[in-house]
Amino acid sequence: MVEGNHIDEAIWRPILEFLNKNPFGPHRYLKDIAPDIDSNIALQNIYYLAQNKLCTANIEPTPQGSFRYFGGVQITTRGIDFLKNDGGLSKRLRTITVELDGDTIKALIADKVDQSDAPDEDKGKIKHAIRSLPSNALTALTGELVKRGLSSASDLLPWLETALRHL
């Protein structure tokens, strides 16, 4: 038995990559999963991967610090996505998309123009220009408005704290 913590990316990453080569396992033989690695060290690393939900494994830690292995290690979808450079499907599923159509954005901007102290003639010209913006220009303008809004919101932190408490 090897004592101590031997969790190391140099050990667990090749194990995960091996599992990814045949994701529909399960892989039963430790000598195939982690060749040339002490079995207890390999099991520590597989257990670590399983605890992080990157694989499933029929492993039990013992009170003495070793592991009982019952065979059967399989990569999870989270493990597959972990190995992908782009984060895989997991990243896409965590992405939140907020959609506002162009007319809604134009109406929001026009309302703010109406609330401004500018002369009515200037307000009319600006609102006309906003209504005639093509979608790519509106996208660029909206991005800039969000940046400006966030940078000029001096009360952003207190507002966020209040808003988050009510969610």
Side-chain angles (χ1 to χ4, degrees):
M1 177 177 84
V2 176
E3 292 188 30
N5 181 340
H6 297 279
I7 305 299
D8 186 343
E9 186 171 357
I11 298 170
W12 60 256
R13 182 171 283 275
I15 291 171
L16 199 58
E17 288 169 350
F18 171 83
L19 297 173
N20 191 43
K21 287 179 186 170
N22 181 6
F24 306 108
H27 302 278
R28 300 195 190 294
Y29 302 108
L30 199 53
K31 65 179 172 34
D32 294 335
I33 299 168
D36 305 322
I37 297 176
D38 175 86
S39 62
N40 202 56
I41 292 174
L43 291 172
Q44 277 184 19
N45 283 270
I46 293 169
Y47 188 74
Y48 173 75
L49 292 171
Q51 291 297 298
N52 282 285
K53 297 179 176 37
L54 299 179
C55 74
T56 58
N58 295 320
I59 299 174
E60 272 183 16
T62 68
Q64 296 80 25
S66 61
F67 292 87
R68 287 192 204 113
Y69 177 58
F70 302 101
V73 180
Q74 187 171 1
I75 195 166
T76 61
T77 54
R78 186 172 172 170
I80 293 168
D81 288 349
F82 175 84
L83 291 174
K84 291 189 177 287
N85 290 334
D86 66 357
L89 187 56
S90 297
K91 182 177 179 185
R92 290 185 209 152
L93 293 173
R94 287 189 315 265
T95 300
I96 297 171
T97 303
V98 176
E99 290 187 27
L100 296 172
D101 66 38
D103 291 336
T104 302
I105 293 171
K106 289 176 182 180
L108 289 168
I109 297 170
D111 284 347
K112 281 299 177 187
V113 170
D114 283 336
Q115 293 171 17
S116 75
D117 294 334
D120 288 341
E121 184 180 327
D122 291 345
K123 289 180 186 181
K125 288 178 185 176
I126 291 171
K127 289 192 304 186
H128 175 72
I130 290 167
R131 281 192 294 273
S132 15
L133 282 176
S135 62
N136 62 339
L138 182 60
T139 300
L141 178 65
T142 302
E144 287 303 313
L145 285 170
V146 169
K147 286 180 197 171
R148 262 187 188 243
L150 289 173
S151 67
S152 66
S154 60
D155 63 342
L156 181 65
L157 286 179
W159 178 86
L160 279 172
E161 287 173 343
T162 303
L164 292 172
R165 267 186 261 138
H166 293 89
L167 294 178

